[in-house]
Amino acid sequence: MEATRAALLAVARKRFAREGFSRTDLAQIAGDARVTTGAIYHHFSSKKGLFQAVAEQLESEIVAAAASVDERNPWRRLRVGFEKLIDFCAAADVQRITFIEAPQVIGPEEWRKIELRYAFGAVRGVLEALRDAGTIKPYPTDLVARILLALLHETSAEVARSKGDPVVRAQIADLVARVFDSLAVP
């Protein structure tokens, strides 16, 4: 059962990334995964349910990528993790599924709840700890978290658009460093 679910998620991720939600057909996903459409409905209530599971899996991977940074200092870990996430989130599947289609397909309110459980929630928690420790200025945590996630969204999209151009990537790194520097308590 778990192998079938994993296969469906992997195939659906590829299809949703390549074709988008509206152009992806459940019969194609079932065929690619070598199962029946009934198997999809057994694991997921609908096409939207399958899409949401794929989007949540991506959100989980984003949080895991940030958490994988090997840095003891929490402020430095956030900065290094953010740079790592820019490149991770520049991937075509993350861009299309998580940043473009998820808010539309799942709905903005429901997608916000999902983000609170994953990326937004993780960033907010780190920022609260840094603010409480006096590492960053006492701006409203939710505001800073939203700004940083918007920055992640736009910088990763620019890396994707530029096809990883090293000049563009260096400019982004400089801009991000300046944003983080502006948050730090001198």
Side-chain angles (χ1 to χ4, degrees), residues 10-31:
V11 168
R13 180 175 177 163
K14 288 177 187 169
R15 286 275 181 181
F16 289 137
R18 187 175 57 238
E19 298 166 17
F21 177 81
S22 64
R23 291 184 36 217
T24 296
D25 183 62
L26 288 181
Q28 294 171 321
I29 291 172

mmCIF file of all heavy atoms in Angstrom, residues 10-31:
data_model
loop_
_atom_site.group_PDB
_atom_site.id
_atom_site.type_symbol
_atom_site.label_atom_id
_atom_site.label_comp_id
_atom_site.label_asym_id
_atom_site.label_seq_id
_atom_site.Cartn_x
_atom_site.Cartn_y
_atom_site.Cartn_z
ATOM 1 N N ALA A 10 5.035 10.164 -6.789
ATOM 2 C CA ALA A 10 6.168 10.441 -7.683
ATOM 3 C C ALA A 10 5.702 10.732 -9.110
ATOM 4 O O ALA A 10 6.155 11.701 -9.743
ATOM 5 C CB ALA A 10 7.149 9.264 -7.668
ATOM 6 N N VAL A 11 4.790 9.918 -9.604
ATOM 7 C CA VAL A 11 4.272 10.108 -10.966
ATOM 8 C C VAL A 11 3.467 11.402 -11.046
ATOM 9 O O VAL A 11 3.616 12.195 -11.992
ATOM 10 C CB VAL A 11 3.429 8.889 -11.401
ATOM 11 C CG1 VAL A 11 2.645 9.190 -12.665
ATOM 12 C CG2 VAL A 11 4.322 7.674 -11.593
ATOM 13 N N ALA A 12 2.611 11.631 -10.056
ATOM 14 C CA ALA A 12 1.782 12.843 -10.065
ATOM 15 C C ALA A 12 2.652 14.089 -9.999
ATOM 16 O O ALA A 12 2.367 15.085 -10.679
ATOM 17 C CB ALA A 12 0.802 12.809 -8.896
ATOM 18 N N ARG A 13 3.694 14.049 -9.220
ATOM 19 C CA ARG A 13 4.606 15.197 -9.119
ATOM 20 C C ARG A 13 5.188 15.547 -10.490
ATOM 21 O O ARG A 13 5.214 16.712 -10.885
ATOM 22 C CB ARG A 13 5.715 14.868 -8.123
ATOM 23 C CG ARG A 13 6.727 15.980 -7.928
ATOM 24 C CD ARG A 13 7.673 15.568 -6.837
ATOM 25 N NE ARG A 13 8.731 16.516 -6.594
ATOM 26 C CZ ARG A 13 9.459 16.509 -5.483
ATOM 27 N NH1 ARG A 13 9.247 15.620 -4.538
ATOM 28 N NH2 ARG A 13 10.419 17.385 -5.324
ATOM 29 N N LYS A 14 5.633 14.539 -11.208
ATOM 30 C CA LYS A 14 6.189 14.779 -12.546
ATOM 31 C C LYS A 14 5.127 15.343 -13.488
ATOM 32 O O LYS A 14 5.380 16.289 -14.230
ATOM 33 C CB LYS A 14 6.766 13.486 -13.125
ATOM 34 C CG LYS A 14 8.045 13.051 -12.476
ATOM 35 C CD LYS A 14 8.525 11.733 -13.045
ATOM 36 C CE LYS A 14 9.718 11.224 -12.247
ATOM 37 N NZ LYS A 14 10.071 9.846 -12.579
ATOM 38 N N ARG A 15 3.947 14.755 -13.461
ATOM 39 C CA ARG A 15 2.858 15.204 -14.344
ATOM 40 C C ARG A 15 2.408 16.628 -13.997
ATOM 41 O O ARG A 15 2.258 17.466 -14.880
ATOM 42 C CB ARG A 15 1.658 14.264 -14.248
ATOM 43 C CG ARG A 15 1.858 12.952 -14.940
ATOM 44 C CD ARG A 15 1.522 13.089 -16.384
ATOM 45 N NE ARG A 15 1.683 11.812 -17.068
ATOM 46 C CZ ARG A 15 1.461 11.667 -18.347
ATOM 47 N NH1 ARG A 15 1.049 12.677 -19.081
ATOM 48 N NH2 ARG A 15 1.634 10.501 -18.912
ATOM 49 N N PHE A 16 2.186 16.898 -12.702
ATOM 50 C CA PHE A 16 1.743 18.238 -12.298
ATOM 51 C C PHE A 16 2.813 19.278 -12.618
ATOM 52 O O PHE A 16 2.487 20.394 -13.030
ATOM 53 C CB PHE A 16 1.393 18.285 -10.812
ATOM 54 C CG PHE A 16 0.136 17.548 -10.439
ATOM 55 C CD1 PHE A 16 0.103 16.750 -9.307
ATOM 56 C CD2 PHE A 16 -1.024 17.654 -11.196
ATOM 57 C CE1 PHE A 16 -1.059 16.076 -8.938
ATOM 58 C CE2 PHE A 16 -2.197 16.987 -10.839
ATOM 59 C CZ PHE A 16 -2.204 16.188 -9.707
ATOM 60 N N ALA A 17 4.074 18.931 -12.458
ATOM 61 C CA ALA A 17 5.158 19.883 -12.749
ATOM 62 C C ALA A 17 5.243 20.162 -14.247
ATOM 63 O O ALA A 17 5.484 21.295 -14.663
ATOM 64 C CB ALA A 17 6.490 19.345 -12.232
ATOM 65 N N ARG A 18 5.070 19.143 -15.045
ATOM 66 C CA ARG A 18 5.203 19.295 -16.495
ATOM 67 C C ARG A 18 3.952 19.874 -17.144
ATOM 68 O O ARG A 18 4.037 20.738 -18.014
ATOM 69 C CB ARG A 18 5.555 17.936 -17.113
ATOM 70 C CG ARG A 18 5.875 17.988 -18.594
ATOM 71 C CD ARG A 18 6.331 16.652 -19.166
ATOM 72 N NE ARG A 18 5.347 15.611 -18.955
ATOM 73 C CZ ARG A 18 5.592 14.466 -18.297
ATOM 74 N NH1 ARG A 18 6.774 14.228 -17.782
ATOM 75 N NH2 ARG A 18 4.630 13.560 -18.163
ATOM 76 N N GLU A 19 2.779 19.403 -16.733
ATOM 77 C CA GLU A 19 1.544 19.751 -17.434
ATOM 78 C C GLU A 19 0.618 20.688 -16.663
ATOM 79 O O GLU A 19 -0.318 21.225 -17.233
ATOM 80 C CB GLU A 19 0.787 18.460 -17.771
ATOM 81 C CG GLU A 19 1.577 17.548 -18.687
ATOM 82 C CD GLU A 19 1.017 16.145 -18.760
ATOM 83 O OE1 GLU A 19 -0.154 15.938 -18.369
ATOM 84 O OE2 GLU A 19 1.748 15.258 -19.217
ATOM 85 N N GLY A 20 0.863 20.833 -15.377
ATOM 86 C CA GLY A 20 -0.029 21.634 -14.557
ATOM 87 C C GLY A 20 -1.230 20.827 -14.093
ATOM 88 O O GLY A 20 -1.508 19.742 -14.614
ATOM 89 N N PHE A 21 -1.915 21.357 -13.108
ATOM 90 C CA PHE A 21 -3.060 20.650 -12.527
ATOM 91 C C PHE A 21 -4.160 20.431 -13.552
ATOM 92 O O PHE A 21 -4.657 19.318 -13.719
ATOM 93 C CB PHE A 21 -3.599 21.433 -11.320
ATOM 94 C CG PHE A 21 -4.815 20.809 -10.708
ATOM 95 C CD1 PHE A 21 -4.691 19.747 -9.839
ATOM 96 C CD2 PHE A 21 -6.087 21.292 -10.995
ATOM 97 C CE1 PHE A 21 -5.815 19.152 -9.266
ATOM 98 C CE2 PHE A 21 -7.214 20.712 -10.432
ATOM 99 C CZ PHE A 21 -7.077 19.640 -9.565
ATOM 100 N N SER A 22 -4.556 21.478 -14.232
ATOM 101 C CA SER A 22 -5.729 21.380 -15.109
ATOM 102 C C SER A 22 -5.505 20.449 -16.297
ATOM 103 O O SER A 22 -6.450 19.808 -16.756
ATOM 104 C CB SER A 22 -6.166 22.762 -15.588
ATOM 105 O OG SER A 22 -5.167 23.346 -16.379
ATOM 106 N N ARG A 23 -4.285 20.337 -16.783
ATOM 107 C CA ARG A 23 -4.024 19.495 -17.950
ATOM 108 C C ARG A 23 -3.611 18.068 -17.584
ATOM 109 O O ARG A 23 -3.433 17.232 -18.474
ATOM 110 C CB ARG A 23 -2.960 20.142 -18.830
ATOM 111 C CG ARG A 23 -3.501 21.399 -19.499
ATOM 112 C CD ARG A 23 -2.542 22.066 -20.459
ATOM 113 N NE ARG A 23 -1.716 21.155 -21.207
ATOM 114 C CZ ARG A 23 -0.450 21.386 -21.531
ATOM 115 N NH1 ARG A 23 0.127 22.510 -21.165
ATOM 116 N NH2 ARG A 23 0.248 20.514 -22.214
ATOM 117 N N THR A 24 -3.440 17.798 -16.319
ATOM 118 C CA THR A 24 -3.060 16.451 -15.883
ATOM 119 C C THR A 24 -4.312 15.598 -15.730
ATOM 120 O O THR A 24 -5.290 16.011 -15.121
ATOM 121 C CB THR A 24 -2.279 16.509 -14.556
ATOM 122 O OG1 THR A 24 -1.061 17.222 -14.770
ATOM 123 C CG2 THR A 24 -1.955 15.120 -14.047
ATOM 124 N N ASP A 25 -4.256 14.404 -16.291
ATOM 125 C CA ASP A 25 -5.378 13.473 -16.258
ATOM 126 C C ASP A 25 -5.055 12.328 -15.295
ATOM 127 O O ASP A 25 -3.960 11.761 -15.344
ATOM 128 C CB ASP A 25 -5.625 12.935 -17.668
ATOM 129 C CG ASP A 25 -6.816 12.018 -17.733
ATOM 130 O OD1 ASP A 25 -7.937 12.473 -17.445
ATOM 131 O OD2 ASP A 25 -6.612 10.826 -18.073
ATOM 132 N N LEU A 26 -6.012 11.991 -14.427
ATOM 133 C CA LEU A 26 -5.787 10.908 -13.469
ATOM 134 C C LEU A 26 -5.520 9.567 -14.152
ATOM 135 O O LEU A 26 -4.745 8.756 -13.648
ATOM 136 C CB LEU A 26 -6.965 10.786 -12.507
ATOM 137 C CG LEU A 26 -7.093 11.892 -11.465
ATOM 138 C CD1 LEU A 26 -8.299 11.642 -10.562
ATOM 139 C CD2 LEU A 26 -5.832 12.019 -10.634
ATOM 140 N N ALA A 27 -6.125 9.336 -15.293
ATOM 141 C CA ALA A 27 -5.892 8.083 -16.012
ATOM 142 C C ALA A 27 -4.437 7.992 -16.464
ATOM 143 O O ALA A 27 -3.842 6.900 -16.445
ATOM 144 C CB ALA A 27 -6.835 7.975 -17.205
ATOM 145 N N GLN A 28 -3.847 9.118 -16.846
ATOM 146 C CA GLN A 28 -2.435 9.126 -17.226
ATOM 147 C C GLN A 28 -1.547 8.811 -16.029
ATOM 148 O O GLN A 28 -0.580 8.058 -16.132
ATOM 149 C CB GLN A 28 -2.041 10.493 -17.797
ATOM 150 C CG GLN A 28 -2.705 10.834 -19.106
ATOM 151 C CD GLN A 28 -2.457 12.283 -19.508
ATOM 152 O OE1 GLN A 28 -2.457 13.180 -18.672
ATOM 153 N NE2 GLN A 28 -2.265 12.493 -20.795
ATOM 154 N N ILE A 29 -1.881 9.402 -14.884
ATOM 155 C CA ILE A 29 -1.111 9.139 -13.666
ATOM 156 C C ILE A 29 -1.219 7.653 -13.317
ATOM 157 O O ILE A 29 -0.209 6.994 -13.034
ATOM 158 C CB ILE A 29 -1.599 10.021 -12.497
ATOM 159 C CG1 ILE A 29 -1.249 11.481 -12.763
ATOM 160 C CG2 ILE A 29 -0.992 9.558 -11.173
ATOM 161 C CD1 ILE A 29 -1.851 12.469 -11.782
ATOM 162 N N ALA A 30 -2.431 7.124 -13.354
ATOM 163 C CA ALA A 30 -2.629 5.707 -13.050
ATOM 164 C C ALA A 30 -1.828 4.831 -14.009
ATOM 165 O O ALA A 30 -1.154 3.884 -13.579
ATOM 166 C CB ALA A 30 -4.113 5.353 -13.109
ATOM 167 N N GLY A 31 -1.884 5.146 -15.291
ATOM 168 C CA GLY A 31 -1.135 4.374 -16.281
ATOM 169 C C GLY A 31 0.363 4.431 -16.041
ATOM 170 O O GLY A 31 1.056 3.410 -16.094
#
